Amino acid sequence: MGNKIAFVTGATSGIGKACALALAENGFDIIACGRREERLKALKDELPAGTKYTYLVFDVRDKIEVVSAISGLAEDWRNIDLLINNAGNAHGLDPIQTGDLDDWDAMIDINVKGLLYVSKALIPGMTERKSGQIINIGSIAGKEVYPNGNVYCASKHAVDALTKSMRIDLNPFGIKVMGIHPGLVETEFSLIRFKGNTERASPVYQGYQPLQAQDIADIVVFAATRPAHVVLADVVVLPTAQASSTIVRKEMG
Ligand code: NDP
Ligand code: 8X3
């Protein structure tokens, strides 16, 4: 029998990339996904020697692209054991009265509908095999709301609700469904939220020790390697300096 296969969305950066690397280090074969093909190509060279690796380029918003990319997988990549639904971002940080419709569309389409499209394509194989694991990367923003977080928070509350719903619906098939909900993690997340504006993005991670993508990857590996009878259903992980979405103890020099 070969290694287990992990399918990681948003593997070109941040948490998803760290998960792909950490899972490979722990013996998983890797299918990495994202839109930036050059990064997916380059990822191969960072994986431990001998890792079985392939990648798929698609935009999770586009259901035709999602289905076509996944149905094009070669036979030996089809028995996916572990799905990491990680692709996602915040777009903008504006009060509801001045929020941008395109930003709202992006967050709902990527964080919620994208997760659904990918799950819909992979779940039938899992139900047929009566095995599989799904880890949805939610957020503290899916457990609380914070000023100007409105639609991003709504999208992550939806991820939380879908995680719980999937766990119920997939229970008869023995499929594990897990939600991991990080607080502040230093990735490209804020750069995307603030549309490349480093003056707004950089301070988000200054004055305290934020989580690193590797911290989340460690938890993902732990969750994915528990014995068959154990499921880490719901994990909230914060930097020690963070008490809630709005309370972060910062020491400014
Ligand atoms: P990054 O911006 O570093 O990574 C985001 C990843 O998502 C990239 O690989 C990107 O790939 C992918 N992605 C974004 N949009 C699309 C799309 N339309 N189609 C396909 N892939 C897409 O951010 P993080 O690593 O921080 O974010 C990963 C997940 O973690 C997100 O769901 C985020 O909401 C969540 N999260 C992040 C926290 C943080 O503080 N950083 C805290 C809590 C949760 P590409 O652009 O190549 O398509
Ligand atoms: C990312 C963390 O606090 O910016 O989900 O929403 S936060």
Side-chain angles (χ1 to χ4, degrees), residues 9-17 33-37 39-40 58-62 85-91 106 109-111 137-141 152 155-156 159 180-192 204-205 211 213 216 237:
T9 69
T12 57
S13 169
I15 295 170
K17 179 178 175 186
C33 310
R35 292 165 300 177
R36 289 170 287 183
E37 184 169 11
R39 290 194 182 198
L40 293 169
F58 60 84
D59 185 329
V60 294
R61 280 176 290 200
D62 184 330
N85 272 319
N86 162 77
N89 276 115
H91 293 267
D109 290 351
I110 298 168
N111 303 353
I137 304 297
S139 170
I140 185 69
Y152 179 67
S155 76
K156 289 297 180 176
V159 171
I180 296 178
H181 304 276
L184 292 152
V185 190
E186 187 173 17
T187 62
E188 293 175 17
F189 178 87
S190 288
L191 206 56
I192 303 287
V204 174
Y205 306 114
L211 293 170
I216 310 307
V237 50

CSV table of all heavy atoms in Angstrom, one decimal, residues 9-17 33-37 39-40 58-62 85-91 106 109-111 137-141 152 155-156 159 180-192 204-205 211 213 216 237, ligand 1:
chain,number,residue,atom,x,y,z
A,9,THR,N,-5.5,22.9,-0.5
A,9,THR,CA,-5.8,24.2,-1.3
A,9,THR,C,-5.1,25.3,-0.7
A,9,THR,O,-4.8,25.4,0.5
A,9,THR,CB,-7.3,24.4,-1.4
A,9,THR,OG1,-7.8,24.8,-0.1
A,9,THR,CG2,-8.1,23.2,-1.9
A,10,GLY,N,-4.7,26.3,-1.6
A,10,GLY,CA,-4.0,27.5,-1.1
A,10,GLY,C,-2.6,27.1,-0.7
A,10,GLY,O,-2.1,27.7,0.3
A,11,ALA,N,-1.9,26.3,-1.4
A,11,ALA,CA,-0.6,25.8,-1.0
A,11,ALA,C,0.5,26.6,-1.6
A,11,ALA,O,1.7,26.3,-1.4
A,11,ALA,CB,-0.4,24.3,-1.5
A,12,THR,N,0.2,27.8,-2.2
A,12,THR,CA,1.3,28.6,-2.8
A,12,THR,C,1.8,29.6,-1.7
A,12,THR,O,2.8,30.3,-2.0
A,12,THR,CB,0.7,29.5,-3.9
A,12,THR,OG1,-0.4,30.2,-3.4
A,12,THR,CG2,0.3,28.6,-5.1
A,13,SER,N,1.3,29.6,-0.5
A,13,SER,CA,1.7,30.6,0.4
A,13,SER,C,1.2,30.2,1.8
A,13,SER,O,0.3,29.4,2.0
A,13,SER,CB,0.9,31.9,0.0
A,13,SER,OG,1.1,32.9,1.0
A,14,GLY,N,1.8,30.9,2.8
A,14,GLY,CA,1.3,30.9,4.2
A,14,GLY,C,1.0,29.5,4.8
A,14,GLY,O,1.8,28.5,4.7
A,15,ILE,N,-0.2,29.4,5.3
A,15,ILE,CA,-0.6,28.2,6.1
A,15,ILE,C,-0.7,26.9,5.2
A,15,ILE,O,-0.2,25.9,5.5
A,15,ILE,CB,-2.0,28.4,6.7
A,15,ILE,CG1,-1.9,29.5,7.8
A,15,ILE,CG2,-2.6,27.1,7.3
A,15,ILE,CD1,-3.2,30.0,8.4
A,16,GLY,N,-1.2,27.1,4.0
A,16,GLY,CA,-1.3,26.0,3.0
A,16,GLY,C,0.0,25.4,2.6
A,16,GLY,O,0.2,24.2,2.6
A,17,LYS,N,0.9,26.3,2.3
A,17,LYS,CA,2.3,25.9,1.9
A,17,LYS,C,2.9,25.1,3.1
A,17,LYS,O,3.5,24.1,2.9
A,17,LYS,CB,3.1,27.1,1.5
A,17,LYS,CG,4.5,26.7,1.1
A,17,LYS,CD,5.3,27.9,0.6
A,17,LYS,CE,6.8,27.4,0.3
A,17,LYS,NZ,7.6,28.5,0.0
A,33,CYS,N,-2.5,22.9,-4.5
A,33,CYS,CA,-3.4,23.7,-5.4
A,33,CYS,C,-3.3,25.2,-5.1
A,33,CYS,O,-3.0,25.6,-4.0
A,33,CYS,CB,-4.9,23.3,-5.1
A,33,CYS,SG,-5.2,21.6,-5.2
A,34,GLY,N,-3.5,25.9,-6.2
A,34,GLY,CA,-3.5,27.4,-6.1
A,34,GLY,C,-3.6,28.0,-7.5
A,34,GLY,O,-3.7,27.2,-8.5
A,35,ARG,N,-3.6,29.3,-7.6
A,35,ARG,CA,-3.6,29.9,-8.9
A,35,ARG,C,-2.2,30.2,-9.4
A,35,ARG,O,-2.0,30.3,-10.6
A,35,ARG,CB,-4.4,31.2,-8.8
A,35,ARG,CG,-5.9,31.0,-8.6
A,35,ARG,CD,-6.6,32.3,-8.2
A,35,ARG,NE,-6.0,32.8,-7.0
A,35,ARG,CZ,-6.3,34.0,-6.4
A,35,ARG,NH1,-7.2,34.7,-6.9
A,35,ARG,NH2,-5.7,34.4,-5.3
A,36,ARG,N,-1.2,30.4,-8.5
A,36,ARG,CA,0.1,30.8,-9.0
A,36,ARG,C,1.0,29.6,-9.3
A,36,ARG,O,1.6,29.0,-8.4
A,36,ARG,CB,0.7,31.7,-8.0
A,36,ARG,CG,0.1,33.1,-7.9
A,36,ARG,CD,0.5,33.9,-6.7
A,36,ARG,NE,0.0,33.4,-5.5
A,36,ARG,CZ,0.1,34.0,-4.3
A,36,ARG,NH1,0.9,35.1,-4.2
A,36,ARG,NH2,-0.4,33.6,-3.2
A,37,GLU,N,1.0,29.2,-10.6
A,37,GLU,CA,1.6,28.0,-11.0
A,37,GLU,C,3.1,28.0,-10.7
A,37,GLU,O,3.7,26.9,-10.3
A,37,GLU,CB,1.3,27.7,-12.5
A,37,GLU,CG,1.9,26.4,-12.9
A,37,GLU,CD,1.5,25.9,-14.3
A,37,GLU,OE1,0.9,26.7,-15.0
A,37,GLU,OE2,1.7,24.7,-14.6
A,39,ARG,N,4.7,29.1,-8.3
A,39,ARG,CA,4.9,28.8,-6.9
A,39,ARG,C,4.7,27.3,-6.7
A,39,ARG,O,5.4,26.7,-5.9
A,39,ARG,CB,4.1,29.6,-6.0
A,39,ARG,CG,4.4,31.1,-5.9
A,39,ARG,CD,3.8,31.7,-4.7
A,39,ARG,NE,4.0,33.1,-4.6
A,39,ARG,CZ,3.9,33.9,-3.5
A,39,ARG,NH1,3.4,33.3,-2.4
A,39,ARG,NH2,4.2,35.1,-3.5
A,40,LEU,N,3.7,26.8,-7.3
A,40,LEU,CA,3.4,25.3,-7.2
A,40,LEU,C,4.5,24.5,-7.8
A,40,LEU,O,4.9,23.4,-7.2
A,40,LEU,CB,2.1,25.0,-7.9
A,40,LEU,CG,0.8,25.6,-7.2
A,40,LEU,CD1,-0.4,25.4,-8.1
A,40,LEU,CD2,0.6,25.0,-5.8
A,58,PHE,N,-6.0,26.0,-10.2
A,58,PHE,CA,-7.4,26.5,-10.5
A,58,PHE,C,-7.8,27.5,-9.5
A,58,PHE,O,-7.2,27.7,-8.4
A,58,PHE,CB,-8.4,25.3,-10.4
A,58,PHE,CG,-8.4,24.5,-9.1
A,58,PHE,CD1,-9.2,25.0,-8.0
A,58,PHE,CD2,-7.7,23.4,-8.9
A,58,PHE,CE1,-9.2,24.3,-6.8
A,58,PHE,CE2,-7.7,22.7,-7.7
A,58,PHE,CZ,-8.5,23.2,-6.7
A,59,ASP,N,-8.8,28.3,-9.9
A,59,ASP,CA,-9.4,29.3,-9.0
A,59,ASP,C,-10.6,28.7,-8.3
A,59,ASP,O,-11.5,28.2,-9.0
A,59,ASP,CB,-9.8,30.5,-9.9
A,59,ASP,CG,-10.3,31.7,-9.0
A,59,ASP,OD1,-10.9,31.4,-8.0
A,59,ASP,OD2,-10.1,32.8,-9.5
A,60,VAL,N,-10.6,28.6,-7.0
A,60,VAL,CA,-11.6,27.9,-6.3
A,60,VAL,C,-13.0,28.5,-6.6
A,60,VAL,O,-14.0,27.9,-6.3
A,60,VAL,CB,-11.4,27.8,-4.8
A,60,VAL,CG1,-10.2,26.9,-4.4
A,60,VAL,CG2,-11.3,29.1,-4.1
A,61,ARG,N,-13.0,29.8,-7.1
A,61,ARG,CA,-14.3,30.4,-7.3
A,61,ARG,C,-15.0,29.9,-8.6
A,61,ARG,O,-16.2,30.0,-8.8
A,61,ARG,CB,-14.1,31.9,-7.7
A,61,ARG,CG,-13.9,32.8,-6.5
A,61,ARG,CD,-13.6,34.2,-6.9
A,61,ARG,NE,-12.2,34.3,-7.4
A,61,ARG,CZ,-11.5,35.4,-7.5
A,61,ARG,NH1,-12.0,36.5,-7.1
A,61,ARG,NH2,-10.3,35.4,-8.0
A,62,ASP,N,-14.2,29.2,-9.4
A,62,ASP,CA,-14.7,28.8,-10.7
A,62,ASP,C,-15.1,27.3,-10.7
A,62,ASP,O,-14.2,26.4,-10.8
A,62,ASP,CB,-13.6,29.1,-11.8
A,62,ASP,CG,-14.1,28.8,-13.2
A,62,ASP,OD1,-15.0,27.9,-13.4
A,62,ASP,OD2,-13.6,29.4,-14.1
A,85,ASN,N,-9.0,22.1,3.3
A,85,ASN,CA,-9.7,23.3,2.7
A,85,ASN,C,-9.1,24.6,3.4
A,85,ASN,O,-9.6,25.0,4.4
A,85,ASN,CB,-11.2,23.2,3.0
A,85,ASN,CG,-11.9,22.4,1.9
A,85,ASN,OD1,-11.6,22.6,0.8
A,85,ASN,ND2,-12.9,21.6,2.4
A,86,ASN,N,-8.1,25.1,2.7
A,86,ASN,CA,-7.4,26.2,3.3
A,86,ASN,C,-7.4,27.5,2.5
A,86,ASN,O,-7.4,28.6,3.0
A,86,ASN,CB,-5.9,25.8,3.5
A,86,ASN,CG,-5.0,27.0,3.7
A,86,ASN,OD1,-4.9,27.6,4.8
A,86,ASN,ND2,-4.3,27.4,2.6
A,87,ALA,N,-7.6,27.4,1.2
A,87,ALA,CA,-7.6,28.6,0.3
A,87,ALA,C,-8.6,29.6,0.8
A,87,ALA,O,-9.7,29.3,1.1
A,87,ALA,CB,-7.9,28.2,-1.1
A,88,GLY,N,-8.1,30.8,0.9
A,88,GLY,CA,-9.0,31.9,1.4
A,88,GLY,C,-8.3,33.1,1.7
A,88,GLY,O,-7.0,33.1,1.9
A,89,ASN,N,-9.0,34.2,1.9
A,89,ASN,CA,-8.3,35.5,2.3
A,89,ASN,C,-9.4,36.4,2.8
A,89,ASN,O,-10.6,36.2,2.5
A,89,ASN,CB,-7.6,36.1,1.1
A,89,ASN,CG,-6.2,35.6,0.9
A,89,ASN,OD1,-5.9,35.0,-0.1
A,89,ASN,ND2,-5.3,35.8,1.8
A,90,ALA,N,-9.0,37.5,3.4
A,90,ALA,CA,-9.8,38.6,3.6
A,90,ALA,C,-9.5,39.7,2.5
A,90,ALA,O,-8.4,39.8,2.1
A,90,ALA,CB,-9.5,39.3,5.0
A,91,HIS,N,-10.6,40.4,2.1
A,91,HIS,CA,-10.4,41.4,1.1
A,91,HIS,C,-11.0,42.7,1.7
A,91,HIS,O,-12.3,42.8,1.8
A,91,HIS,CB,-11.0,41.0,-0.2
A,91,HIS,CG,-10.3,39.9,-0.9
A,91,HIS,ND1,-9.3,40.0,-1.8
A,91,HIS,CD2,-10.4,38.5,-0.7
A,91,HIS,CE1,-8.9,38.9,-2.2
A,91,HIS,NE2,-9.5,37.9,-1.5
A,106,ALA,N,-15.6,38.5,-3.4
A,106,ALA,CA,-14.4,37.7,-3.4
A,106,ALA,C,-14.4,36.8,-2.1
A,106,ALA,O,-14.2,35.6,-2.2
A,106,ALA,CB,-13.2,38.6,-3.4
A,109,ASP,N,-17.2,34.1,-2.3
A,109,ASP,CA,-17.0,33.2,-3.4
A,109,ASP,C,-15.8,32.3,-3.1
A,109,ASP,O,-15.8,31.1,-3.5
A,109,ASP,CB,-16.8,33.9,-4.7
A,109,ASP,CG,-18.0,34.6,-5.3
A,109,ASP,OD1,-19.1,34.3,-4.7
A,109,ASP,OD2,-18.0,35.3,-6.2
A,110,ILE,N,-14.7,32.9,-2.5
A,110,ILE,CA,-13.5,32.1,-2.3
A,110,ILE,C,-13.7,31.2,-1.0
A,110,ILE,O,-13.5,30.0,-1.0
A,110,ILE,CB,-12.3,33.0,-2.2
A,110,ILE,CG1,-12.0,33.7,-3.5
A,110,ILE,CG2,-11.0,32.1,-1.8
A,110,ILE,CD1,-11.0,34.8,-3.5
A,111,ASN,N,-13.9,32.0,0.1
A,111,ASN,CA,-13.9,31.3,1.4
A,111,ASN,C,-15.0,30.3,1.6
A,111,ASN,O,-14.8,29.3,2.4
A,111,ASN,CB,-13.9,32.4,2.5
A,111,ASN,CG,-12.8,33.4,2.4
A,111,ASN,OD1,-11.9,33.2,1.6
A,111,ASN,ND2,-12.8,34.4,3.2
A,137,ILE,N,-9.9,25.1,7.3
A,137,ILE,CA,-9.2,26.2,8.1
A,137,ILE,C,-10.2,27.3,8.2
A,137,ILE,O,-10.5,28.0,7.2
A,137,ILE,CB,-7.9,26.6,7.3
A,137,ILE,CG1,-7.0,25.4,7.1
A,137,ILE,CG2,-7.3,27.7,8.2
A,137,ILE,CD1,-6.4,24.8,8.4
A,138,GLY,N,-10.7,27.5,9.4
A,138,GLY,CA,-11.7,28.6,9.7
A,138,GLY,C,-10.9,29.7,10.2
A,138,GLY,O,-9.9,30.1,9.6
A,139,SER,N,-11.3,30.3,11.3
A,139,SER,CA,-10.6,31.5,11.9
A,139,SER,C,-11.3,31.8,13.2
A,139,SER,O,-12.4,31.5,13.4
A,139,SER,CB,-10.7,32.7,10.9
A,139,SER,OG,-10.3,33.8,11.5
A,140,ILE,N,-10.5,32.5,14.0
A,140,ILE,CA,-11.2,33.2,15.2
A,140,ILE,C,-12.3,34.1,14.7
A,140,ILE,O,-13.3,34.3,15.4
A,140,ILE,CB,-10.1,34.0,16.0
A,140,ILE,CG1,-10.7,34.5,17.3
A,140,ILE,CG2,-9.5,35.1,15.3
A,140,ILE,CD1,-11.1,33.5,18.4
A,141,ALA,N,-12.2,34.6,13.5
A,141,ALA,CA,-13.2,35.4,12.9
A,141,ALA,C,-14.5,34.6,12.5
A,141,ALA,O,-15.5,35.2,12.2
A,141,ALA,CB,-12.7,36.1,11.6
A,152,TYR,N,-15.9,39.2,6.1
A,152,TYR,CA,-14.9,38.2,6.3
A,152,TYR,C,-15.4,37.3,7.5
A,152,TYR,O,-15.3,36.1,7.4
A,152,TYR,CB,-13.5,38.8,6.6
A,152,TYR,CG,-12.5,37.7,6.9
A,152,TYR,CD1,-12.1,36.8,5.9
A,152,TYR,CD2,-11.9,37.6,8.2
A,152,TYR,CE1,-11.1,35.8,6.1
A,152,TYR,CE2,-11.0,36.5,8.4
A,152,TYR,CZ,-10.6,35.7,7.4
A,152,TYR,OH,-9.7,34.7,7.7
A,155,SER,N,-18.1,35.0,6.4
A,155,SER,CA,-17.6,33.9,5.6
A,155,SER,C,-17.0,32.8,6.5
A,155,SER,O,-17.1,31.6,6.2
A,155,SER,CB,-16.6,34.4,4.5
A,155,SER,OG,-15.3,34.7,5.1
A,156,LYS,N,-16.3,33.2,7.5
A,156,LYS,CA,-15.6,32.2,8.4
A,156,LYS,C,-16.6,31.6,9.4
A,156,LYS,O,-16.5,30.4,9.8
A,156,LYS,CB,-14.4,32.9,9.1
A,156,LYS,CG,-13.3,33.1,8.2
A,156,LYS,CD,-12.7,31.8,7.6
A,156,LYS,CE,-11.5,32.0,6.7
A,156,LYS,NZ,-11.0,30.7,6.2
A,159,VAL,N,-17.9,28.9,7.3
A,159,VAL,CA,-16.9,27.7,7.3
A,159,VAL,C,-17.2,26.9,8.6
A,159,VAL,O,-17.2,25.7,8.5
A,159,VAL,CB,-15.5,28.2,7.2
A,159,VAL,CG1,-14.5,27.0,7.4
A,159,VAL,CG2,-15.2,28.9,5.9
A,180,ILE,N,-10.1,23.9,12.2
A,180,ILE,CA,-9.0,24.6,12.9
A,180,ILE,C,-9.1,26.1,12.7
A,180,ILE,O,-9.2,26.5,11.6
A,180,ILE,CB,-7.6,24.0,12.4
A,180,ILE,CG1,-7.6,22.5,12.8
A,180,ILE,CG2,-6.5,24.8,13.1
A,180,ILE,CD1,-6.3,21.8,12.3
A,181,HIS,N,-9.2,26.8,13.8
A,181,HIS,CA,-9.5,28.2,13.8
A,181,HIS,C,-8.4,29.1,14.4
A,181,HIS,O,-8.4,29.3,15.6
A,181,HIS,CB,-10.8,28.4,14.6
A,181,HIS,CG,-12.0,27.6,14.1
A,181,HIS,ND1,-12.7,28.0,13.0
A,181,HIS,CD2,-12.4,26.3,14.4
A,181,HIS,CE1,-13.6,27.0,12.8
A,181,HIS,NE2,-13.4,26.0,13.6
A,182,PRO,N,-7.5,29.6,13.5
A,182,PRO,CA,-6.4,30.3,14.1
A,182,PRO,C,-6.8,31.8,14.3
A,182,PRO,O,-7.7,32.4,13.7
A,182,PRO,CB,-5.3,30.3,13.0
A,182,PRO,CG,-5.8,29.3,12.0
A,182,PRO,CD,-7.3,29.2,12.1
A,183,GLY,N,-6.0,32.4,15.3
A,183,GLY,CA,-6.0,33.8,15.4
A,183,GLY,C,-5.0,34.4,14.5
A,183,GLY,O,-4.8,33.9,13.3
A,184,LEU,N,-4.2,35.4,14.9
A,184,LEU,CA,-3.3,36.1,14.0
A,184,LEU,C,-2.1,35.3,13.6
A,184,LEU,O,-1.3,34.9,14.5
A,184,LEU,CB,-2.9,37.4,14.7
A,184,LEU,CG,-4.0,38.5,14.9
A,184,LEU,CD1,-3.8,39.3,16.1
A,184,LEU,CD2,-4.2,39.3,13.6
A,185,VAL,N,-2.0,35.0,12.3
A,185,VAL,CA,-0.9,34.3,11.8
A,185,VAL,C,-0.1,35.1,10.8
A,185,VAL,O,-0.8,35.7,9.9
A,185,VAL,CB,-1.4,33.0,11.0
A,185,VAL,CG1,-0.2,32.1,10.7
A,185,VAL,CG2,-2.4,32.2,11.8
A,186,GLU,N,1.2,35.2,10.9
A,186,GLU,CA,1.9,36.1,10.0
A,186,GLU,C,2.2,35.4,8.7
A,186,GLU,O,3.0,34.5,8.5
A,186,GLU,CB,3.3,36.5,10.7
A,186,GLU,CG,4.1,37.5,9.9
A,186,GLU,CD,5.3,37.9,10.6
A,186,GLU,OE1,5.7,37.2,11.6
A,186,GLU,OE2,5.8,39.0,10.3
A,187,THR,N,1.4,35.8,7.7
A,187,THR,CA,1.5,35.3,6.3
A,187,THR,C,1.3,36.4,5.3
A,187,THR,O,1.4,37.6,5.7
A,187,THR,CB,0.3,34.2,6.1
A,187,THR,OG1,-0.9,34.9,6.2
A,187,THR,CG2,0.4,33.1,7.1
A,188,GLU,N,0.9,36.1,4.1
A,188,GLU,CA,0.6,37.2,3.1
A,188,GLU,C,-0.9,37.7,3.3
A,188,GLU,O,-1.4,38.5,2.6
A,188,GLU,CB,0.7,36.7,1.7
A,188,GLU,CG,2.2,36.4,1.4
A,188,GLU,CD,2.4,35.8,0.0
A,188,GLU,OE1,1.5,35.8,-0.8
A,188,GLU,OE2,3.5,35.2,-0.2
A,189,PHE,N,-1.6,37.2,4.3
A,189,PHE,CA,-3.0,37.5,4.6
A,189,PHE,C,-3.3,39.0,4.6
A,189,PHE,O,-4.2,39.5,3.9
A,189,PHE,CB,-3.4,36.8,5.9
A,189,PHE,CG,-4.8,37.0,6.3
A,189,PHE,CD1,-5.8,36.2,5.9
A,189,PHE,CD2,-5.1,38.0,7.2
A,189,PHE,CE1,-7.1,36.4,6.3
A,189,PHE,CE2,-6.4,38.3,7.6
A,189,PHE,CZ,-7.4,37.5,7.1
A,190,SER,N,-2.5,39.7,5.4
A,190,SER,CA,-2.8,41.1,5.6
A,190,SER,C,-2.4,41.9,4.4
A,190,SER,O,-3.1,42.9,4.0
A,190,SER,CB,-2.1,41.7,6.9
A,190,SER,OG,-2.8,41.2,8.0
A,191,LEU,N,-1.4,41.5,3.7
A,191,LEU,CA,-1.0,42.1,2.4
A,191,LEU,C,-2.1,42.0,1.4
A,191,LEU,O,-2.4,43.0,0.7
A,191,LEU,CB,0.3,41.4,1.9
A,191,LEU,CG,1.2,42.3,1.0
A,191,LEU,CD1,1.6,43.6,1.7
A,191,LEU,CD2,2.4,41.4,0.6
A,192,ILE,N,-2.8,40.9,1.4
A,192,ILE,CA,-3.9,40.7,0.5
A,192,ILE,C,-5.1,41.5,1.0
A,192,ILE,O,-5.7,42.2,0.2
A,192,ILE,CB,-4.3,39.2,0.4
A,192,ILE,CG1,-3.2,38.3,-0.1
A,192,ILE,CG2,-5.6,39.0,-0.5
A,192,ILE,CD1,-2.8,38.4,-1.5
A,204,VAL,N,0.2,44.9,11.6
A,204,VAL,CA,-0.7,43.9,12.1
A,204,VAL,C,0.1,42.8,12.9
A,204,VAL,O,-0.4,42.3,13.9
A,204,VAL,CB,-1.5,43.2,11.0
A,204,VAL,CG1,-2.3,42.0,11.5
A,204,VAL,CG2,-2.4,44.2,10.2
A,205,TYR,N,1.3,42.6,12.5
A,205,TYR,CA,2.1,41.6,13.1
A,205,TYR,C,3.2,42.1,14.0
A,205,TYR,O,4.1,41.4,14.4
A,205,TYR,CB,2.7,40.6,12.1
A,205,TYR,CG,1.6,40.1,11.2
A,205,TYR,CD1,1.5,40.4,9.8
A,205,TYR,CD2,0.6,39.3,11.7
A,205,TYR,CE1,0.5,40.0,9.0
A,205,TYR,CE2,-0.5,38.8,10.9
A,205,TYR,CZ,-0.5,39.2,9.5
A,205,TYR,OH,-1.5,38.7,8.7
A,211,LEU,N,1.4,34.1,15.6
A,211,LEU,CA,1.5,32.7,15.1
A,211,LEU,C,2.3,32.7,13.8
A,211,LEU,O,2.2,33.7,13.0
A,211,LEU,CB,0.2,32.0,15.0
A,211,LEU,CG,-0.6,31.8,16.3
A,211,LEU,CD1,-2.0,31.3,15.9
A,211,LEU,CD2,0.1,30.7,17.1
A,213,ALA,N,2.9,30.3,10.2
A,213,ALA,CA,2.2,29.2,9.4
A,213,ALA,C,2.6,27.8,9.9
A,213,ALA,O,1.7,26.9,10.0
A,213,ALA,CB,2.5,29.4,8.0
A,216,ILE,N,0.4,26.4,12.7
A,216,ILE,CA,-0.8,25.8,12.2
A,216,ILE,C,-0.6,24.4,11.6
A,216,ILE,O,-1.3,23.5,11.8
A,216,ILE,CB,-1.6,26.7,11.3
A,216,ILE,CG1,-1.7,28.1,11.8
A,216,ILE,CG2,-3.0,26.2,10.9
A,216,ILE,CD1,-2.2,28.3,13.2
A,237,VAL,N,-6.8,28.3,18.0
A,237,VAL,CA,-5.4,28.5,18.3
A,237,VAL,C,-5.1,29.9,18.1
A,237,VAL,O,-5.3,30.5,17.1
A,237,VAL,CB,-4.5,27.5,17.6
A,237,VAL,CG1,-4.7,27.5,16.1
A,237,VAL,CG2,-3.0,27.9,17.9
B,1,NDP,P1,-2.1,33.7,2.3
B,1,NDP,O1,-2.5,34.9,1.7
B,1,NDP,O2,-0.6,33.6,2.7
B,1,NDP,O3,-2.5,32.4,1.5
B,1,NDP,C1,-3.7,32.3,0.9
B,1,NDP,C2,-3.8,31.1,0.0
B,1,NDP,O4,-5.1,31.0,-0.6
B,1,NDP,C3,-2.8,31.2,-1.2
B,1,NDP,O5,-2.1,30.0,-1.4
B,1,NDP,C4,-3.7,31.5,-2.4
B,1,NDP,O6,-3.2,31.0,-3.5
B,1,NDP,C5,-5.0,30.8,-2.0
B,1,NDP,N1,-6.1,31.4,-2.6
B,1,NDP,C6,-6.6,32.6,-2.4
B,1,NDP,N2,-7.6,32.9,-3.3
B,1,NDP,C7,-7.7,31.8,-4.1
B,1,NDP,C8,-8.6,31.5,-5.2
B,1,NDP,N3,-9.5,32.3,-5.6
B,1,NDP,N4,-8.4,30.3,-5.7
B,1,NDP,C9,-7.5,29.4,-5.3
B,1,NDP,N5,-6.7,29.7,-4.3
B,1,NDP,C10,-6.8,30.9,-3.7
B,1,NDP,O7,-2.9,33.6,3.7
B,1,NDP,P2,-3.0,32.5,4.9
B,1,NDP,O8,-2.1,31.4,4.6
B,1,NDP,O9,-2.9,33.3,6.1
B,1,NDP,O10,-4.5,32.0,4.7
B,1,NDP,C11,-4.9,30.7,4.5
B,1,NDP,C12,-6.2,30.4,5.2
B,1,NDP,O11,-6.1,30.7,6.6
B,1,NDP,C13,-7.3,31.3,4.7
B,1,NDP,O12,-8.5,30.6,4.6
B,1,NDP,C14,-7.5,32.4,5.8
B,1,NDP,O13,-8.7,32.9,5.9
B,1,NDP,C15,-7.1,31.5,7.1
B,1,NDP,N6,-6.7,32.2,8.2
B,1,NDP,C16,-5.6,33.0,8.2
B,1,NDP,C17,-5.2,33.7,9.4
B,1,NDP,C18,-4.1,34.7,9.4
B,1,NDP,O14,-4.1,35.5,10.4
B,1,NDP,N7,-3.2,34.7,8.5
B,1,NDP,C19,-5.9,33.5,10.6
B,1,NDP,C20,-7.1,32.6,10.5
B,1,NDP,C21,-7.4,32.0,9.4
B,1,NDP,P3,-3.1,31.7,-5.0
B,1,NDP,O15,-3.1,33.2,-4.7
B,1,NDP,O16,-1.9,31.2,-5.6
B,1,NDP,O17,-4.4,31.2,-5.7
